[in-house]
Amino acid sequence: MNLIVVGASAGLGRALADRLAQEKHNLLLIAGDEADLKAISADLNLRHSVQVEIAAVRLQCDQNSIEKVLAKASALGNIDGILFPLGYSRTDDDGTLGCDDINRIVNSNMAGIIALCSHYLPAMLQRGEGLLVFFGSVASERGRSSNIVYAAAKRGLQSFAESLRHKCSATNINVQYYQLGYLNTAQTFGKKLPFPAAEPKDAADYIVRNLNKRFGLEYYPWFWRFICLGLRYTPWMVFKKLKF
Amino acid sequence: MQVQPRQFISFDGSTRLNGFEAKPEHYRYFDELSNKFADASGKRSRQDAGAPGIAAEHVQTTDTCENGANRKSDTKNAPIDSENFNPAVISRGAGLSYAAASFGEKVCSVDHAQFNRILNFSKEQKLIEVEAGISLGKLYDFLIEHDLFLATQPGHPRITVGGCIAPDIHGKNQFMDGTCINQVESLKLFHPSHGIIELSPHSNEELFRLTCGGYGLTGNIISCKLKLKSIPSNMAEVTLRPLNRIEELPAMLRASADKADFIYSWHDFNVRGKDFGKGFVQEGRFIESGSRPAEQATATRKKAADQTLKAETRGGLPFPIFNPLSVAIMNALYGAKGANGSSFEMSLFDSVFPIQNVKELYFKFFGAAGFHEYQVVIPESNFGTYIEGIRHALKRHSLPITLASAKLFSGKRDLLRFTGDGICFAINFARGEEASKLLKELDQLVIRCDGAPNIIKDSRLSKEVVAACYPEYDLFRSQLRQFDPKRIYQSELAERLAL
Ligand SMILES: Cc1cc2nc3c(=O)[nH]c(=O)nc-3n(C[C@H](O)[C@H](O)[C@H](O)COP(=O)(O)OP(=O)(O)OC[C@H]3O[C@@H](n4cnc5c(N)ncnc54)[C@H](O)[C@@H]3O)c2cc1C
Ligand SMILES: NC(=O)c1ccc[n+]([C@@H]2O[C@H](COP(=O)([O-])OP(=O)(O)OC[C@H]3O[C@@H](n4cnc5c(N)ncnc54)[C@H](OP(=O)(O)O)[C@@H]3O)[C@@H](O)[C@H]2O)c1
């Protein structure tokens, strides 16, 4: 398949790019740092002999950034699917951020993703097939006093994915949404975590193995399904006192 | 750049220090490092080569930004106490050095694990360009598909290419292949005051020689071009030749070294009398193999290699398994393997990286207290004196010797490079009071024998011993200061040896 991976220079995205190249998919890799993308594409191309294109683009909801992606995507031909393991969070996301920071969080976790999807959806609908894989966060299960904008954006993304799935239910367009728990990446580096962080490599393995499965929402690692269930049903009187 | 406090431990179990860890995922990390060290007059990027040194007091707060973008300082959430943040840095590969070479008290260790990509490859020219954080295992997996391989490699697949270049390690036939520097065509070095510099034997030669064997103290090696060697298949034929008297070792090694692809010896130092040091010489050749075994065990192997042999988990057993009785039995059993001489085939991977999987238990059996490796290179003419010296020292300090092994070396000892003409001889034993006394005697013995101890293998070597054994110790120090007057790159090893 010809696949786009947005957020491919680090963490889960990089692990996914490696696994997908191993499965002989041709790839367009997107992230902000060009030097990094070049190194990854050389590595994947040499080790797995697949076509790897790159676009150094900070995805956001504006035509300019979408055009930059399209310019590079044309080298691959028809795009069969897009995976969106990009994300951006910050430790001071406590409800007091300025516009630039809010825009970056909303763009990287929702708006940019919606914009790129919206561009490719008509062609996928016409062909009646395609693959769209989104990545949310357990942080968005229930709003807390930290990761405020991030959680809001991820919840928006989840709603968008749900709607797409509904819209595409009569087609072969597979819309997957992973609700992710902690991963051992730059996002969790050095943080004290109440639960173990999964290796991005293992997550990528799981995701690539399940690319053909049709499900709406899946928790990874699996145990988060139960933690989130507990969180959702924790009475407000208790929840408001939790500090995490 | 993300920086976190972390406690580091050396692989031999001797050193535990509080440093910092930086885990960069992106190339722009190097820009950020430059900026962190920029002087008060403003920001400087990595391209500004030749800019003046750093001003430590200008390193302010830790930037905790996940994706490395510019952002306001976030002192409230800063994961480290910036007051105590010492701006000294050092590269870290797999952290498998026995000595504390990739960390230091309050030093920021830059983890190269994510810089592990293959950048360029030419089968015709037998050249590969890789980032320095790549593991030897990953490189092996790629090269074997092209019937190529790195001539000089240490014995574990998790060890990184940067970790091989910086201490200029040796492989299993140093006599023929030399040390790691011989297989480096060129490399890219990052230093905040100099930007990114390309070094090779033809450009910036002095800095090239200082960096290959510079223990990470000249900067971060970002990437390098390596020369490769053709191999006929992924199999090797191994011959074990019994050695009854250790005095015969140099002649035996010399007789075969120029015909072998790898050659080393094993000795039993736990028997007394005339059998002291008997053992065998293990000689290997890469062979054509009709039935080339699949490398499909790679995935399982990689997974196992990822999980094993870490400085943090080596000392998991609270008590040692090794004692005089268990070591005597282990040596007797191992020695019997080569007593009558034999020949067999084995996979190239297992012969290049002999210490994996179950064999790694060897390191665990020393327990939490850890172990010593005393590895020296001794001129052949003094080999007999050296071995006699060890034999006498062991009479005074009775210790089970868990491993004794030798290789034939050739080369000129320059700067702090572990090389020279003669025999490279290593012994292992458990850490303890008696061991410390033995080591003091061995230090004097090696000086008397005109030899040199291996700096990367010994976590307690003193600067006096190193200065006495390495004639260019002062030259190394002065060249380092000339390149980096502020001495930004630091480690426990550097501090102990006053580098
Ligand atoms: C099982 C085993 C077998 C071994 N066999 C041999 C052998 O046969 N021959 C031999 O000579 N040695 C051998 N060694 C020693 C080993 O090769 C060295 O200690 C090597 O440096 C370990 O590499 P590392 O990736 O763990 O590096 P680390 O321990 O992380 O670092 C070692 C040094 O290299 C520097 N460094 C690492 N990466 C970079 C970089 N990118 N840029 C600049 N500096 C860098 C560090 O600052 C430090 O000074 C062996 C060790 C083990 C554990
Ligand atoms: N790590 C966790 O514990 C965790 C937990 C729950 C959910 N998640 C979610 O899981 C996904 C993967 O997380 P991760 O930890 O692997 O992230 P990561 O290590 O921070 O990597 C994020 C990747 O996305 C890229 N990126 C960020 N913003 C971008 C933009 N606007 N346009 C293009 N690329 C962009 C980054 O590259 P550049 O910086 O170069 O742009 C990087 O390649 C994300 O959706 C994250 O929100 C993570």
Side-chain angles (χ1 to χ4, degrees):
Chain A
M1 287 200 284
N2 293 331
L3 300 174
I4 301 180
V5 182
V6 192
S9 68
L12 176 62
R14 188 170 155 190
L16 271 172
D18 200 355
R19 260 319 257 110
L20 291 167
Q22 203 182 332
E23 297 287 318
K24 302 291 177 202
H25 297 297
N26 295 324
L27 302 173
L28 167 63
L29 308 181
I30 298 171
D33 192 320
E34 182 159 31
D36 238 310
L37 287 174
K38 276 187 180 157
I40 293 174
S41 80
D43 183 70
L44 297 184
N45 182 270
L46 284 165
R47 280 170 49 238
H48 304 300
S49 311
V50 290
Q51 185 183 356
V52 185
E53 303 292 331
I54 57 167
V57 179
R58 271 272 152 76
L59 193 62
Q60 52 187 42
C61 187
D62 74 22
Q63 204 48 33
N64 196 7
S65 89
I66 304 297
E67 293 295 338
K68 281 188 198 157
V69 174
L70 300 185
K72 298 287 182 160
S74 58
L76 279 190
N78 261 351
I79 298 300
D80 300 305
I82 315 178
L83 296 91
F84 292 98
L86 72 162
Y88 175 62
S89 67
R90 36 190 308 152
T91 44
D92 57 355
D93 180 6
D94 56 1
T96 63
L97 291 177
C99 288
D100 286 353
D101 294 333
I102 294 172
N103 271 334
R104 176 145 181 218
I105 297 177
V106 171
N107 268 314
S108 301
N109 293 295
M110 180 184 70
I113 300 172
I114 293 179
L116 193 65
C117 253
S118 307
H119 177 86
Y120 279 103
L121 192 62
M124 285 187 184
L125 283 170
Q126 202 174 16
R127 284 205 309 277
E129 57 183 19
L131 173 69
L132 296 166
V133 188
F134 302 95
F135 298 92
S137 166
V138 293
S140 71
E141 285 281 342
R142 196 160 176 188
R144 300 170 293 136
S145 45
S146 57
N147 272 329
I148 290 182
V149 182
Y150 174 78
K154 287 287 192 198
R155 221 190 274 181
L157 180 70
Q158 188 172 352
S159 170
F160 175 72
E162 216 171 72
S163 304
L164 277 194
R165 189 168 178 240
H166 190 254
K167 185 175 171 74
C168 301
S169 57
T171 71
N172 274 334
I173 300 173
N174 191 1
V175 181
Q176 300 182 334
Y177 189 88
Y178 282 96
Q179 193 75 308
L180 297 176
Y182 300 131
L183 298 178
N184 186 11
T185 69
Q187 289 205 12
T188 52
F189 172 56
K191 289 186 181 147
K192 276 208 181 86
L193 305 171
F195 296 99
E199 286 306 318
K201 235 178 173 178
D202 296 336
D205 251 1
Y206 183 85
I207 292 158
V208 172
R209 266 204 318 272
N210 290 301
L211 279 185
N212 291 327
K213 283 212 182 124
R214 296 193 74 121
F215 56 81
L217 179 128
E218 176 106 356
Y219 285 82
Y220 186 91
W222 58 269
F223 58 80
W224 280 97
R225 173 182 296 277
F226 302 101
I227 298 171
C228 291
L229 196 71
L231 264 183
R232 246 177 284 139
Y233 289 101
T234 303
W236 172 246
M237 294 305 285
V238 179
F239 186 75
K240 71 178 185 185
K241 292 193 181 121
L242 294 181
K243 291 269 170 288
F244 59 102
Chain B
M1 176 165 70
Q2 298 186 81
V3 178
Q4 291 287 337
R6 172 171 166 191
Q7 192 167 76
F8 292 92
I9 179 165
S10 63
F11 184 68
D12 70 355
S14 66
T15 321
R16 194 178 275 275
L17 291 176
N18 293 319
F20 299 105
E21 183 180 31
K23 263 196 197 292
E25 293 237 45
H26 300 287
Y27 269 94
R28 64 171 172 269
Y29 162 80
F30 292 108
D31 286 330
E32 289 176 38
L33 197 61
S34 277
N35 290 337
K36 274 213 181 302
F37 286 97
D39 56 20
S41 59
K43 298 263 176 189
R44 199 163 9 92
S45 82
R46 61 178 146 147
Q47 279 81 19
D48 294 342
I54 56 135
E57 60 277 18
H58 296 123
V59 177
Q60 287 158 353
T61 61
T62 306
D63 189 348
T64 57
C65 170
E66 269 78 359
N67 290 311
N70 289 337
R71 51 169 300 183
K72 68 185 179 193
S73 276
D74 179 16
T75 329
K76 190 176 57 176
N77 292 310
I80 60 164
D81 171 3
S82 54
E83 301 261 295
N84 286 328
F85 179 50
N86 180 333
V89 285
I90 189 77
S91 279
R92 183 166 168 90
L96 285 178
S97 291
Y98 301 178
S102 62
F103 60 94
E105 188 72 24
K106 293 192 187 168
V107 173
C108 181
S109 296
V110 177
D111 184 345
H112 282 254
Q114 297 298 329
F115 294 106
N116 69 344
R117 295 160 284 208
I118 301 174
L119 303 175
N120 241 312
F121 170 63
S122 163
K123 190 169 179 170
E124 297 69 42
Q125 294 175 23
K126 294 189 198 160
L127 274 181
I128 192 161
E129 186 177 3
V130 293
E131 291 177 312
I134 194 170
S135 70
L136 297 176
K138 178 174 173 183
L139 196 51
Y140 175 95
D141 287 339
F142 175 74
L143 293 176
I144 198 73
E145 299 292 327
H146 301 276
D147 290 332
L148 290 166
F149 132 112
L150 267 188
T152 297
Q153 307 195 57
H156 199 276
R158 277 195 69 230
I159 289 173
T160 64
V161 163
C164 292
I165 297 175
D168 196 16
I169 60 89
H170 60 269
K172 287 170 195 63
N173 194 350
Q174 197 273 7
F175 180 75
M176 293 301 287
D177 303 320
T179 53
C180 185
I181 189 172
N182 291 3
Q183 65 190 11
V184 182
E185 172 91 358
S186 65
L187 63 84
K188 282 193 181 133
L189 181 75
F190 168 79
H191 186 288
S193 310
H194 298 271
I196 294 174
I197 324 166
E198 179 136 3
L199 314 178
S200 79
H202 319 293
S203 71
N204 292 311
E205 188 199 344
E206 190 177 293
L207 189 55
F208 178 72
R209 296 194 68 76
L210 191 66
T211 298
C212 303
Y215 302 90
L217 302 177
T218 56
N220 308 98
I221 302 168
I222 297 177
S223 63
C224 58
K225 282 192 190 136
L226 300 171
K227 298 179 221 168
L228 306 168
K229 194 171 161 174
S230 290
I231 39 163
S233 81
N234 59 355
M235 291 298 287
E237 182 184 59
V238 181
T239 307
L240 305 183
R241 300 185 201 286
L243 173 84
N244 293 321
R245 296 187 58 244
I246 191 165
E247 294 76 11
E248 294 162 6
L249 175 71
M252 209 161 153
L253 289 176
R254 201 164 273 286
S256 306
D258 57 351
K259 296 182 266 313
D261 288 307
F262 54 91
I263 181 164
Y264 48 91
S265 65
W266 176 90
H267 307 269
D268 190 345
F269 269 30
N270 300 288
V271 283
R272 298 287 172 250
K274 68 174 178 31
D275 281 346
F276 177 84
K278 74 171 184 182
F280 55 84
V281 169
Q282 178 155 340
E283 192 185 318
R285 277 193 190 83
F286 307 144
I287 50 167
E288 296 274 1
S289 173
S291 59
R292 184 186 171 117
E295 294 276 342
Q296 32 86 316
T298 309
T300 348
R301 202 183 68 206
K302 261 194 264 181
K303 194 141 198 171
D306 279 351
Q307 287 157 1
T308 54
L309 210 64
K310 290 192 180 137
E312 297 75 21
T313 50
R314 188 214 53 80
L317 286 177
F319 52 84
I321 302 283
F322 286 138
N323 58 45
L325 180 65
S326 63
V327 172
I329 294 172
M330 179 181 81
N331 275 265
L333 290 175
Y334 199 78
K337 189 175 117 164
N340 300 318
S342 59
S343 216
F344 51 89
E345 288 186 8
M346 69 193 295
S347 89
L348 184 63
F349 187 86
D350 291 338
S351 68
V352 176
F353 305 119
I355 311 154
Q356 337 144 42
N357 303 332
V358 132
K359 290 189 189 151
E360 293 177 5
L361 285 175
Y362 170 77
F363 292 111
K364 298 213 165 185
F365 283 178
F366 286 105
F371 67 100
H372 291 282
E373 170 148 333
Y374 201 73
Q375 185 174 50
V376 297
V377 55
I378 296 281
E380 211 173 306
S381 52
N382 293 341
F383 180 67
T385 318
Y386 183 69
I387 295 297
E388 258 324 281
I390 296 187
R391 190 211 292 256
H392 278 103
L394 282 174
K395 278 185 190 152
R396 283 186 293 280
H397 313 286
S398 179
L399 275 173
I401 301 297
T402 54
L403 176 88
S405 174
K407 295 168 184 164
L408 187 64
F409 261 39
S410 82
K412 181 182 166 292
R413 206 179 302 158
D414 70 329
L415 298 175
L416 295 183
R417 210 177 301 292
F418 181 68
T419 182
D421 284 327
I423 306 292
C424 163
F425 206 90
I427 53 176
N428 286 187
F429 42 93
R431 192 169 286 279
E433 240 172 75
E434 216 45 36
S436 300
K437 290 182 195 158
L438 172 69
L439 284 161
K440 275 196 185 125
E441 290 196 23
L442 294 183
D443 283 343
Q444 294 315 310
L445 180 64
V446 76
I447 295 172
R448 275 203 311 281
C449 291
D450 198 18
N454 191 346
I455 293 171
I456 201 68
K457 293 271 180 88
D458 193 334
S459 54
R460 41 107 256 147
L461 275 178
S462 68
K463 77 168 199 284
E464 288 74 22
V465 173
V466 171
C469 296
Y470 287 84
E472 295 190 357
Y473 168 81
D474 285 326
L475 182 65
F476 181 92
R477 289 186 79 241
S478 65
Q479 283 190 1
L480 194 57
R481 271 160 188 69
Q482 215 177 329
F483 172 66
D484 176 15
K486 305 262 176 165
R487 292 287 295 104
I488 296 171
Y489 289 81
Q490 289 288 347
S491 63
E492 186 278 340
L493 181 150
E495 195 180 326
R496 175 165 39 83
L497 301 182
L499 299 176

